């Protein structure tokens, strides 16, 4: 039998939410030895590490810069962060099962847990486009990883589906790297982006934007060779007469994000239909006592600053919770004596 | 030209080809499997309903009926031997009116005659107890407790790996395009390459008619390609049904079903439409609408917004209506296994045995091996990390730290699993080959998170450039060129 480790506060996820939560818990009186941050990736910082474009935080940093800044603060404060560490499960007694190359397959018992696992991209399944499923179709996140971290392009002629912030940023990136974006389209009547401006990303680079337009078919057996597009009528159905075949060798889609809540779900935490995140109290506690949720795993936030704020609040509330636990214990002890 | 002459060549590495190889590899027989695709289960075997039908559908006395009932009983033990997920979940055929009820009674009688055990017709309240989400319009159901589900491509991989471990050769991207016969042997050509064999099994699925024509012995019926489209739902919808639910069959076939999968997802489909091309596995917008409506008729509350992927499979429907498994009358030692439409998967163990018996009768020398290995590899059955027990997980991580690194977060696939897939008896070298062996990229984000990482691992392990990593075939590079 291996012995289980103990930690008072375990934060799962080291994106802006998790890191700012750790700092805030420290500031609110939880000693650094009692805090542990777990991260699946090799680096701290979460999704920010993929965002090499500027526009984050107050002084318009790149995502990578902001990630490094937050990570340094946490490390310099002496908080333990374990990277390349994946939480496999949590049970109701707050026993966390995890694997990491360093510790192997291990269990940690926590007094309080903060879920800051971020969000994931929605998949193409939701798009339900007809045709074959050839290579050359990537989610915006995958495309971003290939381009920014590996230095590879999705193709030479790319169609981008979706007008989320990420979709627009990717369209610009592809153009900057020497690729051609045939067009960006969305079935909605308005672009879905919140912070990024269409002008900056598309107009400036002469990338056409087709709104209220959908992809009705994908062509190609091995690699994608083209798509069929159509404008939509009032009821959102494709208009036959507007169908048109467009050649391309790659397609990047971005269907938005959804909170990542596998752990919360497996714990049986109550979820909120509208946000796909856990139902939380005013103090950001979930339906299970001592388990908190913040950042994009609680609900999708558009702005990193809001996420950092969410993490800070969670840090404060979880610190209060731990203090009250300690006092309860003390009282019990006194009663016994 | 190689001098080697195989005892047996099997054309096609679908469930029929790999099952035949599995049985053959128990004997001291020199065998080879020739497959047009890049991998095992490149055809119909990878896209079907995955149901081990109990055996009440096929008409009494048909070869289908005989092999279905027998084969269905053999799937469980084989799955256990090779570590394949199989679940005897039982099936329910729903009846909505008196006409359906009569049809169900016919199936019940037929099933009993075919030798299916445990069949009974349920009342609405019995049905609702078993499946609380089923439509209130469903008034009766035929319950078949012996029906089950399996992962069809995993079963084929397991059979392929086991037979490969026991000495059967596999040659991929070998599309047989010409067949000749000299005095003793058959010569199977592909692009000027040739493989020689004394005995041949035609297990080419949809293309078995073309193989027969190449031989000069056309099949006595036609093969009609009929496509079936599917939706696959997220695991979060996984508990909406616990049995395989069918509607009462009509002239069009078995109709649309809603079924759990062994991995915890839900499968919805298939429709049945004749297609021009046997290779047309595209999914249509109309098809998606058709199966969505069908599914709502079975489980009105089903959440179809949880679709994570769509796919389609093509049936090889014989105009004769039955399986055709025979030695050619004109060409001795050449065995056709054609028209293997549903329940081809459920019947496959019995089909494999049946083919072996034909080869035996045709004079193939079959002497049992003394050193037969019952598992996928010499060291066992390549268990995936998520299928391991707690102590197995602990050990795996201790022995190889790659097992401590999660690559696919939806299905919790580790780097160790992926490296193992790249090194298994029939090695994976494309994104899709890794996907089907490990489930990396098969979860709710469909590879959005892990595809780039899987490509990196393949490139590293095979010592190739990441831009040379393919999705499935030789022309399907995952990504384009370098950035500026
Ligand atoms: C929609 C649908 C639903 C189904 N549902 C069920 C079900 O629930 N239960 C059930 O029991 N059955 C079901 N089936 C039937 C079952 O899937 C098939 O019977 C079975 O997979 C057929 O296996 P096979 O090996 O004959 O063919 P395949 O799997 O098609 O294998 C044939 C192989 O031969 C290769 N090949 C072809 N030509 C050549 C050549 N010239 N040279 C070399 N190789 C070649 C192909 O690439 C292919 O890999 C279903 C089928 C469909 C389409
Ligand atoms: C029981 C069952 C459970 C499943 N569960 C899951 C699941 O949990 N998650 C999941 O993601 N999927 C699941 N699937 C779907 C599976 O991943 C595949 O999509 C399915 O097997 C169909 O394969 P495909 O090759 O047609 O399509 P895909 O795997 O989607 O794509 C492969 C592409 O290759 C093309 N292609 C095929 N053969 C050739 C060839 N010889 N030459 C050139 N191109 C070719 C196809 O047209 C297609 O475009 C399941 C399938 C089944 C039957």
């Amino acid at each position: 039998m291996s012995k289980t480790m103990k930690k008072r506060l375990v934060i799962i996820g080291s994106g802006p939410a998790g890191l700012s939560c750790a700092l805030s818990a420290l500031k609110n009186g939880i000693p650094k030895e009692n805090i542990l941050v777990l991260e699946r990736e090799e680096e701290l910082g979460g999704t920010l590490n993929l965002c090499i474009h500027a526009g984050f935080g107050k002084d318009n940093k790149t995502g990578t810069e902001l990630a490094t800044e937050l990570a340094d603060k946490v490390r310099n404060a002496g908080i333990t962060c374990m990277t390349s560490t994946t939480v496999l499960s949590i049970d109701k007694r707050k026993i966390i099962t995890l694997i990491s190359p360093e510790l192997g397959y291990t269990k940690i018992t926590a007094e309080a847990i903060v879920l800051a696992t971020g969000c994931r991209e929605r998949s193409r399944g939701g798009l339900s486009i007809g045709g074959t499923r050839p290579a050359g179709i990537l989610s915006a996140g995958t495309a971003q990883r290939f381009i920014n971290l590996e230095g590879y392009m999705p193709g030479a002629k790319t169609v981008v589906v979706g007008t989320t912030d990420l979709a627009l940023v990717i369209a610009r990136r592809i153009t900057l790297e020497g690729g051609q974006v045939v067009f960006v389209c969305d079935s909605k009547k308005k672009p879905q982006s919140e912070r990024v401006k269409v002008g900056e990303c598309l107009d400036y680079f002469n990338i056409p934007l087709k709104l209220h337009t959908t992809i009705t078919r994908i062509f190609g057996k091995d690699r994608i060779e083209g798509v069929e597009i159509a404008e939509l009528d009032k009821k959102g159905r494709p208009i036959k007469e507007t169908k048109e075949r467009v050649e391309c060798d790659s397609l990047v889609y971005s269907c938005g994000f959804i909170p990542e809540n596998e752990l919360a779900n497996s714990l049986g935490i109550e979820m909120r239909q509208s946000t796909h995140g856990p139902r939380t109290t005013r103090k950001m506690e979930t339906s299970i006592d001592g388990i908190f949720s913040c950042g994009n795993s609680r609900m999708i936030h558009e702005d990193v600053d809001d996420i950092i704020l969410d993490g800070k609040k969670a840090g404060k509330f979880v610190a209060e919770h731990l203090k009250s636990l300690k006092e309860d214990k003390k009282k019990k002890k006194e009663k016994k004596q | 030209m190689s001098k080697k002459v195989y005892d047996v060549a099997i054309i096609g590495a679908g469930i029929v080809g790999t099952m035949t190889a599995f049985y053959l590899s128990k004997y001291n027989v020199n065998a080879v499997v020739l497959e047009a695709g890049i991998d095992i289960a490149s055809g119909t075997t990878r896209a079907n309903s995955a149901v081990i039908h109990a055996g009440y559908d096929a008409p009494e006395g048909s070869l289908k009926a005989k092999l279905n009932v027998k084969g269905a009983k053999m799937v469980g033990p084989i799955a256990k031997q090779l570590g394949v997920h199989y679940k005897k979940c039982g099936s329910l055929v729903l009846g909505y009116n008196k006409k359906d009820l009569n049809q169900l009674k016919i199936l019940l009688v037929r099933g009993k005659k075919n030798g299916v055990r445990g069949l009974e017709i349920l009342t609405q309240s019995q049905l609702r107890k078993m499946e609380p989400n089923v439509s209130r319009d469903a008034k009766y159901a035929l319950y078949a407790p012996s029906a089950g589900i399996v992962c069809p491509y995993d079963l084929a991989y397991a059979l392929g790996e086991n037979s490969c471990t026991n000495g059967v050769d596999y040659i991929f991207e070998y599309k047989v395009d010409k067949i000749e016969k000299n005095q003793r042997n058959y010569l199977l050509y592909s692009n000027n390459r040739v493989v020689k064999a004394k005995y041949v099994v035609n297990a080419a699925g949809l293309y078995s008619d073309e193989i027969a024509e190449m031989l000069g012995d056309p099949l006595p019926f036609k093969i009609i390609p009929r496509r079936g489209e599917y939706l696959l739902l997220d695991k979060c919808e996984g508990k909406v049904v616990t049995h395989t639910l069918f509607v009462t069959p009509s002239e069009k076939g078995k109709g649309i079903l809603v079924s759990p999968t062994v991995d915890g997802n839900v499968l919805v489909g298939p429709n049945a439409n004749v297609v021009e091309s046997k290779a047309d596995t595209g999914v249509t917008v109309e098809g998606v609408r058709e199966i969505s409506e069908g599914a709502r008729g079975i489980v009105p509350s089903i959440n179809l917004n949880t679709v994570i992927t769509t796919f389609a499979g093509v049936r090889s429907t014989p105009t004769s209506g039955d399986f055709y498994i025979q030695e050619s009358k004109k060409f001795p030692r050449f065995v056709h296994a054609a028209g293997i439409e549903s329940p081809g998967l459920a019947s496959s163990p019995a089909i494999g045995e049946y083919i072996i018996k034909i080869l035996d009768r045709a004079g193939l020398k079959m002497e049992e091996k003394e050193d037969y290995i019952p598992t996928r590899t010499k060291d066992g059955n390549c268990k995936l990390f998520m299928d391991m027990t707690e102590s197995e997980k602990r050990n795996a991580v201790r022995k190889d730290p790659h097992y401590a690194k999660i690559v696919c977060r939806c299905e919790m696939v580790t780097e160790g699993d992926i490296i193992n897939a790249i090194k298994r008896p029939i090695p994976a070298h494309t994104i899709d080959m890794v996907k089907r062996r490990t489930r990396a990229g098969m979860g709710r984000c469909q590879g959005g998170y892990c595809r780039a990482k899987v490509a990196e691992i393949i490139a590293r392990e095979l010592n190739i450039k990441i831009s040379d990593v393919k999705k499935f075939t030789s022309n399907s590079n995952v990504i384009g060129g370098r950035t500026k």
Side-chain angles (χ1 to χ4, degrees):
Chain A
M1 242 341 266
S2 71
K3 37 201 171 324
T4 46
M5 247 164 66
K6 283 205 169 102
K7 268 290 170 183
R8 292 195 66 200
L9 172 57
V10 177
I11 298 166
I12 304 175
S14 79
L19 293 179
S20 59
C21 173
L23 287 170
S24 149
L26 182 72
K27 200 171 132 207
N28 284 285
I30 306 299
K32 58 175 192 273
E33 316 72 70
N34 289 342
I35 309 174
L36 174 65
V37 178
L38 301 177
E39 169 59 49
R40 166 171 55 203
E41 301 299 318
E42 282 150 37
E43 310 262 340
L44 299 177
T47 315
L48 282 178
N49 285 319
L50 284 177
C51 307
I52 61 170
H53 55 282
F56 293 92
K58 284 181 202 78
D59 8 299
N60 216 20
K61 294 185 192 66
T62 67
T64 334
E65 282 165 3
L66 183 61
T68 314
E69 187 185 299
L70 278 169
D72 285 348
K73 269 193 200 161
V74 171
R75 281 218 188 82
N76 293 338
I79 295 170
T80 314
C81 301
M82 293 187 351
T83 52
S84 298
T85 301
T86 305
V87 174
L88 296 175
S89 64
I90 309 175
D91 73 9
K92 293 208 162 74
R93 295 163 301 167
K94 302 188 192 60
I95 299 175
I96 300 170
T97 307
L98 57 85
I99 47 170
S100 87
E102 239 171 87
L103 296 178
Y105 182 96
T106 317
K107 292 185 192 271
I108 296 180
T109 311
E111 280 175 47
I113 296 173
V114 179
L115 301 171
T117 45
C119 61
R120 54 163 78 232
E121 284 186 283
R122 282 180 191 271
S123 80
R124 177 166 90 98
L127 286 176
S128 167
I129 306 174
T132 49
R133 299 163 299 284
I137 303 173
L138 304 175
S139 74
T142 307
Q144 196 173 34
R145 199 182 158 88
F146 272 129
I147 299 171
N148 295 351
L149 299 188
E150 312 283 344
Y152 285 100
M153 297 287 283
K157 276 181 94 174
T158 308
V159 164
V160 175
V161 183
T163 52
T164 59
D165 286 340
L166 184 56
L168 300 186
V169 167
I170 275 289
R172 176 176 62 187
R173 185 96 240 139
I174 289 171
T175 316
L176 283 172
E177 297 292 349
Q180 184 201 345
V181 175
V182 191
F183 60 81
V184 175
C185 76
D186 201 312
S187 54
K188 302 270 163 44
K189 286 181 183 156
K190 273 197 232 141
Q192 302 298 298
S193 59
E194 300 270 342
R195 292 181 304 116
V196 180
K197 295 197 184 68
V198 173
E200 280 170 16
C201 284
L202 305 186
D203 302 350
Y204 187 77
F205 296 95
N206 293 321
I207 302 171
L209 173 64
K210 295 181 190 279
L211 292 168
H212 215 216
T213 297
T214 192
I215 309 271
T216 43
R217 230 178 125 180
I218 291 174
F219 300 101
K221 182 86 188 155
D222 291 343
R223 230 193 122 86
I224 181 167
E225 287 161 12
V227 293
E228 181 185 75
I229 60 171
E231 287 170 30
L232 298 172
D233 66 13
K234 277 191 196 127
K235 286 190 175 154
R237 289 173 310 205
I239 306 171
K240 264 208 184 110
E241 298 71 42
T242 65
K243 279 190 181 170
E244 173 188 2
R245 181 175 168 149
V246 182
E247 305 302 311
C248 65
D249 68 357
S250 46
L251 182 147
V252 172
Y253 63 89
S254 173
C255 316
F257 297 92
I258 182 161
E260 170 144 351
N261 276 306
E262 271 68 13
L263 289 171
N265 270 322
S266 68
L267 260 165
I269 282 177
E270 252 179 68
M271 304 298 276
R272 189 173 276 158
Q273 277 279 325
S274 57
T275 56
H276 298 281
R279 197 177 283 285
T280 47
T281 64
R282 205 172 42 78
K283 298 197 165 182
M284 303 176 89
E285 200 169 2
T286 66
S287 61
I288 297 182
D289 192 43
I291 298 186
F292 294 72
S293 167
C294 68
N296 274 345
S297 62
R298 192 169 74 85
M299 60 191 281
I300 300 298
H301 296 65
E302 294 301 339
D303 207 314
V304 192
D305 293 331
D306 295 338
I307 295 176
I308 291 180
L309 208 65
D310 215 46
K312 268 188 190 160
K313 281 200 318 207
K316 179 172 153 255
F317 291 133
V318 76
E320 279 174 14
H321 174 82
L322 284 170
K323 275 183 221 158
S324 72
L325 277 185
K326 207 170 187 180
E327 270 157 32
D328 286 351
K329 256 191 207 160
K330 228 195 233 161
K331 272 185 208 151
K332 265 190 201 156
K333 235 186 199 168
E334 280 165 7
K335 256 190 201 160
K336 265 190 194 161
Q337 284 163 358
Chain B
M1 235 194 244
S2 107
K3 294 241 169 66
K4 176 160 186 174
V5 178
Y6 285 99
D7 295 326
V8 184
I10 299 165
I11 305 173
I15 199 68
V16 173
T18 52
M19 193 61 88
T20 308
F22 168 73
Y23 282 115
L24 265 185
S25 74
K26 297 184 183 202
Y27 304 94
N28 283 316
V29 170
N30 228 323
V32 63
V33 179
L34 307 174
E35 167 56 49
I38 199 172
D39 197 5
I40 284 183
S42 284
T44 307
T45 297
R46 91 162 166 233
N48 53 61
S49 304
V51 179
I52 303 305
H53 294 284
Y56 48 75
D57 284 304
E60 201 194 335
S62 63
L63 187 56
K64 250 186 194 175
K66 186 174 126 192
L67 298 180
N68 182 175
V69 176
K70 190 165 177 218
K73 288 183 192 141
M74 297 160 76
V75 173
I78 292 177
K80 197 165 173 206
Q81 177 189 336
L82 300 177
V84 173
H85 291 289
Y86 160 77
K87 200 171 165 206
K88 207 168 174 176
C89 59
S91 70
L92 292 160
V93 186
L94 308 178
Y96 292 75
N97 50 43
K98 280 271 146 53
K99 194 172 149 230
D100 286 352
L101 179 62
N102 284 335
Q103 188 62 31
L104 294 184
K105 283 181 183 158
I106 294 173
L107 290 181
L108 177 82
V109 172
R110 190 192 286 167
K112 281 189 174 159
K113 281 191 186 154
N114 287 349
V116 184
R117 293 217 194 107
L119 290 175
E120 58 178 311
I121 290 182
L122 306 182
T123 62
Q124 190 173 29
S125 70
Q126 285 173 312
L127 167 65
R128 296 198 66 79
K129 235 179 246 156
M130 286 167 80
E131 289 291 351
N133 296 322
V134 78
S135 164
R136 287 190 185 275
D137 297 335
K139 305 237 160 54
Y140 322 94
L142 173 68
Y143 176 44
S146 63
I149 49 175
V150 71
C151 177
Y153 41 87
D154 192 31
L155 179 59
Y157 286 144
L159 297 165
E161 287 175 337
N162 169 268
S163 55
C164 183
T165 297
N166 284 298
V168 174
D169 286 342
Y170 278 78
I171 307 178
F172 293 100
E173 297 188 269
Y174 195 99
K175 184 170 185 203
V176 174
D177 52 25
K178 192 170 82 179
I179 301 175
E180 284 175 1
K181 185 176 177 291
N182 64 21
Q183 267 148 347
R184 257 180 270 148
N185 305 317
Y186 288 97
L187 296 111
L188 307 170
Y189 292 89
S190 174
N191 262 334
N192 300 325
R193 290 179 290 171
V194 67
V195 166
K196 293 179 216 158
K198 295 186 193 119
Y199 294 76
V200 179
V201 177
N202 168 12
L206 278 162
Y207 303 89
S208 48
D209 54 350
E210 292 175 22
I211 297 288
E213 270 155 37
M214 281 179 218
L215 178 68
D217 178 33
L219 298 175
F221 53 87
K222 273 210 172 98
I223 288 179
I224 312 289
R226 274 162 69 234
R227 181 177 63 196
E229 296 164 87
Y230 292 94
L231 307 178
L232 189 96
L233 308 190
D234 191 301
K235 286 180 180 169
C236 69
E237 197 64 5
K239 297 212 169 68
V240 72
V241 295
T242 51
H243 303 75
T244 301
L245 304 185
F246 298 95
V247 291
T248 304
S250 67
E251 312 78 58
K252 267 193 90 181
K254 285 196 274 275
I256 283 159
L257 60 80
V258 176
S259 175
T261 73
V262 285
D263 302 298
N265 300 79
V266 176
L267 193 60
V268 174
N271 51 4
N273 292 309
V274 174
V275 280
E276 261 167 48
S277 157
K278 291 174 175 175
D280 187 354
T281 53
V283 174
T284 63
V285 178
E286 298 74 32
V288 168
R289 200 170 304 136
E290 185 186 347
I291 48 186
S292 300
E293 271 164 28
R296 284 195 204 98
I298 298 173
V299 181
S301 64
I302 195 162
N303 182 359
L304 296 172
N305 291 329
T306 60
V307 170
I308 61 173
T309 188
T310 56
F311 62 94
V314 182
R315 305 172 179 85
S316 51
T317 306
T319 47
S320 60
D322 202 358
F323 294 164
Y324 180 84
I325 309 172
Q326 288 184 14
E327 187 182 16
S328 162
K329 297 210 174 71
K330 237 162 110 188
F331 295 92
R333 305 189 309 281
F334 202 111
V335 181
H336 298 298
I340 313 293
E341 61 167 349
S342 188
L345 178 68
S347 315
S348 58
I351 295 176
E353 263 193 2
Y354 195 80
I355 293 174
I356 299 286
K357 276 194 196 129
I358 296 177
L359 290 172
D360 186 20
R361 273 204 306 272
L364 177 67
K365 246 202 252 136
M366 299 209 300
E367 190 184 291
E368 265 182 58
K369 259 184 205 154
E370 275 169 21
D371 53 355
Y372 175 70
I373 299 162
T375 44
R376 295 195 193 194
T377 72
K378 281 194 194 76
D379 309 319
N381 275 334
C382 325
K383 229 184 203 183
L384 293 174
F385 185 75
M386 278 326 278
D387 293 336
M388 293 179 186
T389 63
E390 191 154 309
S391 70
E392 283 171 337
K393 279 181 184 160
R394 224 182 272 279
N395 276 332
V397 172
R398 200 175 295 139
K399 269 199 220 138
D400 180 359
H402 288 116
Y403 277 97
K405 185 93 189 91
I406 296 286
V407 175
C408 165
R409 62 184 178 186
C410 301
E411 299 293 313
M412 290 289 185
V413 182
T414 70
E415 188 164 350
D417 293 320
I418 292 170
I419 295 174
N420 184 263
I422 298 171
K423 298 189 167 157
R424 264 150 69 167
I426 294 174
H429 51 86
T430 68
I431 302 269
D432 277 6
M433 289 169 97
V434 167
K435 172 175 118 176
R436 292 209 178 80
R437 282 167 178 75
T438 64
R439 292 189 60 75
M442 278 213 178
R444 63 182 54 127
C445 88
Q446 287 289 298
Y449 173 78
C450 69
R451 184 176 299 166
K453 293 186 184 196
V454 171
E456 282 165 44
I457 297 169
I458 295 175
R460 187 190 71 212
E461 293 297 317
L462 299 179
N463 212 356
I464 57 176
K465 281 190 288 192
I466 194 163
S467 52
D468 289 336
V469 176
K470 317 280 191 243
K471 185 170 179 265
F472 43 84
T473 56
S474 323
N475 305 314
S476 63
N477 302 42
V478 180
I479 44 179
R482 273 256 168 220
T483 54
K484 272 204 296 213

